[in-house]
């Protein structure tokens, strides 16, 4: 479990540091909401983020249980460690600032695969993962739909201060990353469920 969490954290933070951070492709979720509140209220970002994260984790504790919180502590530590690690080096990918669509696509791929590996192990990379998983648990929506719902709400609010063209590319990256997170988490599991259900049906017959 720890191995795959570490791999996922490394992949996601590599993309965020080398692509999103350089090109200004924004995110939805907790980060986007923090930027929105900070812009319009003037409150320090360092205060807003912990409040949002803790709120999401308290919700997750209610619906996902203590094991999820324990695994998430481990995974968020890995995310923080890898992000600090990548910052020790110069940027390792070409600057895609002049190619925002490519930045949105490749950034979404790194985040989607990386976070998907973390979520597959039962953890989260931050409060937005905890929120999406909680919504999925309550509504029985697919995880990709929950991620996309929360991200689009935040990006919709962000139109009030971010140029619309930047929002368009951000929608591309969150749509792709949401799909990939769901795909990685569910890879092989749907077929296993079908096999189990088929076996049960045969036994009942």
């Amino acid at each position: 479990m720890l191995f795959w969490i570490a791999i996922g954290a490394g992949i996601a933070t590599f993309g965020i540091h080398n692509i999103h951070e350089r090109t200004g492709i924004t995110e939805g979720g907790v980060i986007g909401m923090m930027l929105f509140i900070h812009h319009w209220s003037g409150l320090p970002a360092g205060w807003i983020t912990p409040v949002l994260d803790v709120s999401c984790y308290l919700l997750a504790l209610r619906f996902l249980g203590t094991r999820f919180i324990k695994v998430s502590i481990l995974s968020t530590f890995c995310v923080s460690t890898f992000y600090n690690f990548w910052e020790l080096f110069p940027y390792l990918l070409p600057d895609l600032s002049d190619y925002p669509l490519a930045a949105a696509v490749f950034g979404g791929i790194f985040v989607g695969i990386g976070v998907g590996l973390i979520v597959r192990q039962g953890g989260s990379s931050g409060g937005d993962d905890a929120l999406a998983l909680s919504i999925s648990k309550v509504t029985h929506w697919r995880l990709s739909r929950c991620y996309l719902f929360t991200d689009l709400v935040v990006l919709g609010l962000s139109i009030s201060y971010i140029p619309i063209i930047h929002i368009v590319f951000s929608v591309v990256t969150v749509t792709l990353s949401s799909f990939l997170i769901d795909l990685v988490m569910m890879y092989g599991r749907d077929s296993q469920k079908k096999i189990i259900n088929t076996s049960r049906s045969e036994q009942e017959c």
Side-chain angles (χ1 to χ4, degrees):
M1 179 181 72
L2 177 59
F3 173 79
W4 288 112
I5 287 176
I7 293 295
I11 292 173
T13 53
F14 181 86
I16 292 171
H17 175 65
N18 287 282
I19 299 177
H20 286 189
E21 187 178 286
R22 297 180 77 184
T23 60
I25 300 294
T26 189
E27 287 281 338
V30 169
I31 295 175
M33 182 57 73
M34 176 272 291
L35 294 172
F36 173 79
I37 295 173
H38 172 69
H39 177 84
W40 289 113
S41 70
L43 293 172
W47 294 1
I48 300 169
T49 303
V51 170
L52 293 176
D53 276 330
V54 168
S55 299
C56 291
Y57 280 121
L58 287 175
L59 185 66
L61 179 62
R62 167 69 175 80
F63 293 107
L64 303 175
T66 56
R67 183 185 182 279
F68 172 80
I69 300 300
K70 291 177 182 178
V71 177
S72 294
I73 291 172
L74 175 62
S75 56
T76 51
F77 173 78
C78 288
V79 168
S80 177
T81 300
F82 269 101
Y83 196 85
N84 291 331
F85 174 74
W86 295 127
E87 288 190 323
L88 296 175
F89 302 94
Y91 291 119
L92 300 175
L93 293 177
D95 187 359
L96 297 175
S97 298
D98 294 332
Y99 309 96
L101 180 58
V105 170
F106 286 112
I109 290 172
F110 276 106
V111 172
I113 293 175
V115 174
L117 288 172
I118 293 172
V119 172
R120 187 178 175 88
Q121 304 307 311
S124 70
S125 63
D128 41 359
D129 296 336
L131 177 60
L133 288 163
S134 298
I135 294 174
S136 179
K137 178 74 172 181
V138 173
T139 63
H140 303 294
W141 289 354
R142 286 195 71 97
L143 188 58
S144 56
R145 185 178 181 184
C146 298
Y147 272 108
L148 197 57
F149 171 75
T150 56
D151 286 338
L152 291 180
V153 167
V154 173
L155 290 176
L157 294 172
S158 301
I159 293 175
S160 61
Y161 73 101
I162 294 177
I164 186 65
I165 189 63
H166 291 178
I167 297 296
V168 170
F169 292 118
S170 295
V171 168
V172 172
T173 200
V174 299
T175 301
L176 181 57
S177 64
S178 298
F179 170 77
L180 287 174
I181 290 170
D182 193 35
L183 181 66
V184 171
M185 190 191 79
M186 297 304 297
Y187 179 75
R189 295 184 178 180
D190 287 337
S191 58
Q192 290 176 4
K193 288 180 180 179
K194 289 179 182 178
I195 293 172
I196 292 172
N197 291 334
T198 301
S199 299
R200 288 177 177 173
S201 299
E202 290 175 351
Q203 289 175 1
E204 290 174 357
C205 293

